[in-house]
């Protein structure tokens, strides 16, 4: 009968040079010494002959080797002292192993304890696996007891001088054998009568009785290996993608464990079918085996002959596959691919990384996401490096396209819009809003509030229990002072805590009242609707002296902006707000995201970070739940991120595409037809585009570089793409219409074979991914692309120019060009009637004591010349235009009912974004009346701000006093005040911001009035009346 002992690893040892001695009866053996390892990994196997299960026991002793005793292995022998300092022992009775199921003790941690005279001390742990087996004999039925270990007390320990020569004479094989079921296969071999009794299954076993074994490593079943990997790699993180890029990233309706088994189990039917499709022959697959080391791993080798291509003959390929992680839900397999027989094959090695991760659950079904990335390592430098990289990428892309297509025939690919359905996700988001009561409990349940409430209650009870004290010191009836320094300090602490609680409560109340202007506003129109859910932000920069910020998010798409609410005093804000952009005729390409710190409606908002999202670079699944890394010095240093959920829907179906094509037809002056689904699908697959992208046209042409390259130019609603395939060497690139700054038509040249040249110039810094297709950079560093030799240059030019004008034109400019001419004040009034703030006239009367003087100056003009700014004529529009007031409109002055001496008019305009980052509309009511002495005018103005944060909380009141001061001169005084309709924590900040900004605008306005009036006086030779 034999005992098989597997010494796997140890941990928590105080010393870094440890080895293990094992003893059964008179037989002894030991492991090698591991240096500089507090948690040594031995992975060694031993076999001992057992004579009596009742009397024999396994003694495992852990030793520390002293530095003075270290010698080279080459000098191991008679004069080597193999004795070290004892760390501790473990005693395991063999009947306890026999009592286990199948006589196997699975890998178990045993405490190593050293006994002293008075106490026992734990010095670490050792991981052991044990198994008993005898040939042609039964194991006695031992008592069914739980495995126990006992630690013996040894004041002195004799040193084992004799050592097995096998440990020093030949290298050991490092094989992890911690698998429980593996033992069964070992023992079946021992039961075979053909095997000699003295043989051993363990190639590295050695003991004093002279037994040694030499047998090849034994493999296990794939399922057992996965179970062991789960225990070994459960705490490991998933590796990062390789630097070459991602080859496939798809999700299928199948559990991760099943998908892993389907792809990597021995004799996988999927791999056989894939080999047939790809023309691979002579496939030889070795079994999965354990490779021990610092970290045990599961590996196998596959060799095959890759089919010949147009440029490369058939060649032999070797793949070394290694499991990095396998915990049941996540799997990572690293593959090293060697192709020594291809040209320059000895200079490089290709690496692949398969990652299988658990996806979202769909109607109770598990999903798996498989992501394959690649990289390439060069052993030596070569001039062909770029060509090798390009060829490897192209070949891998084609192979994994076939891999993905075949996998999709077995498992159902997940419809990304089904996985993260817009309505379901947004409904879930709405459900995430907690009630005010739950938020208050979570916010106020902290040590400060609880301790303050306790102290107040404690003092209140104390007051009730105490009797009135006599008046003493400086006290008098009605004034009670602290009678000691202790009472004084206690009062100060209570007052300080009450102040902090008051600030926290007021901050919470104010935060719950804040709502963004665009939150919950539904999109209007039919077409492509962009919906964005702003979830949260993390690690934002602190801009206030308090160490916090007041962040809000501004989203910009197709020239339109949407703004979130302002979150108070936080670096990790939670918005949970849904913003929608009005429907557009074509799908958007870019979304600009920027986070600002709020500092008043007219303050220069400090940017906390920004980012640009390109829809064509992300799948619908990625857009539906993505973390956006913010750019900027502060954001990058703090790793600031924003959590968004983005959905793009077409609520008008194919009619949207037809309407868009009709619009392009009018620009191009030619008929455009919707392409067939097959051509659209081929185009989308060629440039990795989402399903909503549709092809408008494609043209045969040449790309002008050093040598002309014949290919096809594809144009769609959002991109320009070029593709060429010259003897298997493929050239492909694309860029957005928004990246194109200018298109020029150049005359024919000899190089263009007499054909006109169409040159596209991109914006500086854009189109970086397509730079390999550009002929040159201009003086400003912009990429320039040259296309010529079109079959019909006129037709191609009209289509391209029409798409570019349609896509690149700014929507705001379109409105300025067409709509501004037809906008009347009555239309603006009808729009304002829909706003909640209507009658500003009631706020025109404000006490002078509440207003601050922001301007006082004498101008070298008479009163009537200055009053031109309030008459609504060309002079007023000219000045207001220079003040960046857009869409400036006024009504005529009319008498106020019941006040014959007072005239009234209404105004509206829009702030330029250079004045206010929010833009925003302004509606005003002005009333003017003669001064009491009849020598001047008084103008009162009530101003309402729309589409700026907290704009519905206040009105701005401005009062102008213009009167004669001396002949030819007039005095101008301007006062300003804020009328607060709702309380707000930012009252002081907003008031300060408004007063400063309006003071600057008023001064600039009167300087323009003076300059323009004097110029007109000089031009007319007299005063303006």
């Amino acid at each position: 009968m034999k005992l098989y002992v597997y010494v796997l690893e140890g941990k928590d040892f105080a010393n870094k040079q440890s080895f293990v001695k094992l003893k059964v009866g008179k037989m002894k053996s030991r492991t090698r010494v591991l240096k500089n390892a507090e948690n040594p990994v031995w992975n060694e196997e031993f076999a001992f002959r057992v004579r009596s299960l009742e009397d024999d026991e396994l003694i495992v002793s852990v030793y520390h080797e002293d530095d003075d005793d270290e010698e080279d292995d080459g000098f191991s022998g008679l004069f080597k002292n193999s004795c070290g300092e004892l760390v501790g022992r473990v005693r395991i009775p063999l009947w306890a192993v026999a009592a286990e199921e199948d006589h196997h003790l699975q890998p178990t941690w045993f405490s190593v304890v050293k006994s002293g005279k008075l106490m026992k001390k734990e010095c670490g742990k050792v991981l052991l696996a044990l198994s008993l087996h005898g040939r042609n004999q039964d194991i006695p039925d031992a008592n069914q007891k739980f495995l126990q270990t006992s630690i013996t007390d040894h004041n002195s320990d004799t040193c084992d001088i004799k050592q097995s020569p096998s440990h020093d004479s030949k290298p050991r094989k490092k094989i992890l054998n911690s698998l429980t079921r593996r033992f069964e296969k070992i023992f079946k071999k021992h039961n075979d009568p053909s095997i000699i009794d003295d043989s051993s299954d363990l190639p590295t076993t050695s003991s004093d009785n002279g037994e040694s074994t030499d047998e090849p490593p034994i493999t296990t079943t794939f399922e057992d290996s996965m179970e062991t990997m789960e225990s070994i790699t459960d705490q490991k993180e998933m590796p990062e993608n390789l630097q070459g890029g991602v080859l496939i990233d798809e999700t299928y309706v199948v559990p991760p464990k099943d998908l892993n088994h389907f792809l990597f189990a021995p004799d996988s039917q999927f791999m056989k079918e894939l080999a047939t499709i790809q023309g691979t022959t002579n496939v030889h697959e070795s079994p999965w085996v354990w490779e021990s080391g610092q970290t045990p791993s599961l590996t196998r080798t596959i060799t095959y002959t890759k089919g010949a291509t147009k440029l490369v003959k058939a060649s032999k390929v070797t793949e070394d596959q290694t499991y990095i992680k396998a915990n049941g839900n996540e799997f990572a397999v690293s593959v090293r691919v060697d192709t020594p027989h291809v040209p320059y094959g000895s200079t490089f090695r290709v690496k692949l990384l398969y990652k299988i991760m658990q996806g979202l659950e769909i109607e109770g079904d598990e999903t798996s996401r498989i992501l394959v990335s690649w990289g390439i390592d060069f052993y030596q430098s070569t001039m062909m490096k770029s060509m090798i990289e390009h060829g490897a990428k192209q070949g891998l892309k084609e192979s994994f396209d076939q891999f993905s297509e075949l996998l999709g025939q077995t498992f159902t690919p997940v419809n990304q819009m089904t996985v993260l359905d817009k309505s379901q996700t947004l409904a879930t988001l709405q459900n995430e809003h907690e009630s005010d009561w739950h938020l208050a409990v979570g916010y106020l349940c902290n040590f400060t509030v609880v301790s303050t409430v306790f102290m107040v209650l404690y003092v209140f009870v104390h007051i009730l229990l105490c009797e009135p004290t006599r008046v003493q010191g400086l006290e008098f009836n009605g004034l009670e002072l602290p009678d000691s320094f202790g009472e004084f300090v206690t009062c100060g602490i209570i007052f300080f805590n009450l102040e902090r609680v008051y600030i926290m409560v007021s901050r919470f109340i104010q935060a719950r009242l804040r709502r963004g202007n665009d939150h919950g506003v539904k999109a209007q129109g039919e077409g492509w609707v962009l919906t964005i859910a702003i979830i949260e932000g993390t690690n934002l920069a602190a801009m206030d002296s308090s160490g916090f910020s007041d962040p809000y998010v501004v989203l910009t798409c197709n020239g339109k902006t949407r703004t979130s609410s302002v979150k108070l005093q936080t670096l990790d804000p939670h918005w949970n707000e849904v913003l929608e952009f009005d429907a557009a005729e074509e799908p958007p390409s870019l979304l600009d995201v920027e986070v600002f710190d709020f500092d008043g409606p007219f303050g220069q908002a400090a940017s906390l970070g920004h980012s640009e999202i390109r829809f064509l670079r992300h799948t619908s699944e990625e857009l539906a739940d993505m973390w956006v890394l913010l750019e900027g010095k502060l954001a990058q240093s703090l790793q600031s991120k924003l959590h968004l959920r983005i959905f793009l829907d077409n609520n008008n179906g194919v009619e949207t595409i037809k309407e868009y094509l009709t619009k392009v037809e009018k620009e191009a002056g030619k008929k455009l037809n919707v392409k067939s689904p097959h051509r659209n699908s081929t185009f989308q697959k060629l440039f990795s585009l989402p399903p909503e992208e549709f092809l408008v046209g494609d043209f045969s042409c040449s790309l002008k570089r050093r040598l002309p390259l014949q290919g096809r130019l594809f144009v769609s609603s959002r991109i320009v793409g070029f593709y060429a395939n010259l003897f298997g060497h493929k050239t492909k690139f694309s860029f957005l219409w928004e990246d194109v700054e200018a298109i020029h038509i150049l005359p024919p040249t000899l190089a263009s074979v007499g054909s006109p040249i169409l040159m596209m110039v991109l914006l500086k810094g854009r189109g970086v991914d397509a730079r390999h297709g550009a002929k040159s950079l201009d003086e400003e560093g912009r990429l320039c692309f040259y296309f010529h030799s079109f079959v019909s240059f006129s037709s191609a030019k009209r289509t391209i120019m029409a798409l570019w004008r349609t896509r690149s034109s700014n929507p705001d400019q379109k409105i300025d060009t067409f709509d501004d001419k037809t906008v009347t004040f009555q239309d603006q009034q009808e729009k304002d009637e829909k706003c909640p703030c209507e009658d500003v006239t009631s706020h025109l009367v404000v006490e002078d004591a509440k207003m601050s003087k922001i301007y006082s100056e004498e101008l070298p003009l008479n009163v009537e010349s200055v009053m031109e700014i309030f008459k609504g004529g060309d002079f007023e529009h000219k000045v207001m235009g220079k003040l960046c007031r857009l869409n400036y409109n006024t009504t005529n002055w009319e008498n106020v009912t019941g006040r014959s001496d007072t005239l009234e008019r209404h105004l509206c305009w829009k702030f330029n974004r250079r004045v206010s980052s929010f833009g925003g509309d302004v509606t005003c009511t002005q009333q003017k009346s003669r001064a009491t002495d009849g020598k001047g005018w008084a103008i009162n103005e009530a101003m309402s701000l729309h589409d700026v944060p907290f704009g519905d909380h206040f009105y701005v009141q401005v009062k102008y006093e213009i009167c004669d001061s001396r002949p030819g001169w007039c005095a101008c005084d301007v006062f300003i005040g804020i009328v607060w309709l709702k309380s707000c924590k930012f009252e002081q900040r907003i008031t300060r911001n408004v007063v400063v900004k309006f003071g600057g605008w008023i001064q600039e306005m009167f300087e323009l009035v003076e300059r323009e009036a004097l110029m007109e006086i000089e031009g007319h030779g007299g005063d303006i009346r």
Side-chain angles (χ1 to χ4, degrees), residues 316-334:
K316 185 177 180 180
V317 181
T318 302
E319 289 188 6
D320 295 323
Q321 300 180 351
T322 304
Y323 267 97
I324 300 176
K325 181 180 178 68
N327 66 356
N329 292 325
E330 294 181 337
F331 301 87
V333 180
S334 175

Side-chain angles (χ1 to χ4, degrees), residues 230-251:
E230 184 173 349
S231 63
I232 295 174
T233 65
D234 187 44
Q235 302 299 325
K236 278 189 177 182
E237 297 292 334
M238 287 292 281
E240 296 292 333
N241 294 337
L242 299 180
Q243 75 278 6
V246 175
L247 296 171
I248 62 170
D249 183 3
E250 297 181 357
T251 304

Side-chain angles (χ1 to χ4, degrees), residues 434-502:
E434 298 182 75
S435 65
D436 290 346
W437 171 251
H438 287 90
L439 290 172
V441 171
Y443 181 72
L444 299 176
C445 282
N446 54 57
F447 177 77
T448 301
V449 176
V450 174
S451 61
T452 302
V453 172
F454 174 76
M455 286 190 291
V456 170
L457 292 176
Y458 188 86
V459 171
F460 181 74
V461 174
H462 170 74
I463 294 173
L464 295 178
L465 297 177
C466 290
E467 298 179 357
T469 59
R470 63 186 180 84
V471 176
Q472 56 182 347
L474 299 178
E475 296 177 343
F476 54 84
N477 291 330
L479 177 63
E480 183 76 20
L481 297 176
D483 297 333
S484 65
F485 284 106
E487 292 183 3
F488 179 77
V489 172
T490 302
C491 292
I493 293 175
I494 294 175
F495 176 80
F496 176 74
N497 281 358
L498 286 173
E499 182 183 24
R500 291 186 63 188
V501 172
Y502 170 77

Side-chain angles (χ1 to χ4, degrees), residues 614 739-741 761-768 777-783:
R614 297 201 168 202
D739 295 339
V740 181
E741 183 176 6
V761 182
L762 304 191
L763 294 166
K764 187 177 181 180
R766 296 296 184 92
V768 178
L777 288 172
D778 64 5
E779 297 176 354
E780 299 180 14
R782 301 175 299 180
L783 293 173

Side-chain angles (χ1 to χ4, degrees), residues 657-668:
I657 300 176
K658 292 181 179 179
E659 292 174 3
Y660 175 74
L661 291 177
T662 302
K663 180 180 177 181
V664 176
E665 286 175 355
K666 293 180 180 179
E667 288 281 347

Side-chain angles (χ1 to χ4, degrees), residues 539-823:
N539 302 328
L540 299 183
M543 304 300 292
D544 297 343
S545 58
S546 61
F548 294 96
S549 295
D550 304 311
Y552 65 94
V553 182
V554 177
L555 306 174
T556 305
C557 183
N558 289 340
K560 302 293 180 66
T561 62
R562 294 292 183 267
T563 307
S564 75
S565 63
V566 179
K567 295 300 176 182
L568 308 178
Q569 298 295 294
T570 179
L571 301 180
D572 299 305
H574 289 262
W575 281 281
N576 290 335
E577 297 179 1
V578 179
L579 308 179
E580 291 188 357
F581 286 83
D582 289 342
E585 294 177 346
E586 62 272 356
S589 303
L590 298 171
L591 176 67
D592 290 320
V593 181
E594 191 157 11
V595 184
F596 292 96
D597 176 53
F598 179 72
D599 192 26
F602 304 110
Q604 292 297 325
S607 176
L608 302 179
H610 63 89
S611 182
E612 181 182 79
I613 300 174
R614 297 201 168 202
F615 294 110
L616 295 177
R617 292 184 179 177
H618 302 278
T619 64
S620 300
E621 182 183 16
E622 292 172 340
L623 290 173
D625 192 4
M626 69 185 310
W627 282 90
V628 180
L629 282 173
L630 299 179
E631 299 178 1
K633 292 183 179 179
L634 291 175
Q636 289 178 337
S637 62
L638 296 173
Q639 292 294 305
S640 301
K641 294 189 293 184
L642 198 63
H643 188 191
L644 303 177
R645 292 180 179 174
I646 304 174
F647 302 93
L648 183 62
D649 298 318
N650 180 4
N651 61 12
N652 200 25
V654 71
E655 293 300 323
T656 301
I657 300 176
K658 292 181 179 179
E659 292 174 3
Y660 175 74
L661 291 177
T662 302
K663 180 180 177 181
V664 176
E665 286 175 355
K666 293 180 180 179
E667 288 281 347
K670 57 175 289 189
K671 180 68 175 176
L672 298 175
N673 298 316
V674 179
K675 304 302 179 184
S676 67
H678 175 72
R679 291 187 67 183
N680 265 323
S681 176
T682 304
F683 166 68
Q684 293 163 4
K685 184 177 180 180
L686 182 63
F687 292 98
S688 302
L689 300 173
E692 65 267 14
E693 191 68 12
F694 56 92
L695 179 64
V696 175
D698 59 307
F699 311 96
S700 176
C701 66
S702 291
L703 175 66
K704 184 179 180 182
R705 297 189 297 185
R706 291 184 179 179
L707 293 175
L709 180 63
Q710 187 68 27
R712 294 194 74 82
L713 184 67
F714 298 85
V715 290
S716 69
S717 59
R718 290 188 284 187
I719 73 161
V720 179
F722 180 82
Y723 177 79
N725 187 346
L726 182 63
F727 301 111
H729 182 77
K730 298 178 182 179
T731 301
K732 179 174 63 176
F733 61 84
S734 64
F735 48 82
L736 300 176
W737 285 114
E738 285 84 353
D739 295 339
V740 181
E741 183 176 6
I743 297 180
H744 303 293
I745 308 301
L746 305 181
T749 63
L750 184 62
S752 65
V753 198
S755 169
I757 301 173
L758 188 144
M759 181 178 73
M760 294 187 180
V761 182
L762 304 191
L763 294 166
K764 187 177 181 180
R766 296 296 184 92
V768 178
D769 296 338
R771 61 182 178 273
H772 60 279
K775 183 179 184 298
S776 62
L777 288 172
D778 64 5
E779 297 176 354
E780 299 180 14
R782 301 175 299 180
L783 293 173
C784 299
F785 296 83
Y786 295 81
F787 303 96
H788 61 87
S789 300
F790 290 91
V791 175
S792 174
F793 181 82
S794 175
S795 175
K797 182 195 73 172
R798 290 203 306 268
T799 303
I800 292 171
M801 294 296 290
L803 286 169
W804 175 57
R805 283 195 296 263
T806 303
R807 193 73 197 184
S808 62
S809 56
N810 191 328
D812 288 341
Q813 294 176 352
K814 292 180 185 178
I815 296 172
D816 294 342
T817 304
F818 302 102
D819 298 341
D820 288 353
K821 297 179 182 179
T822 59
V823 170

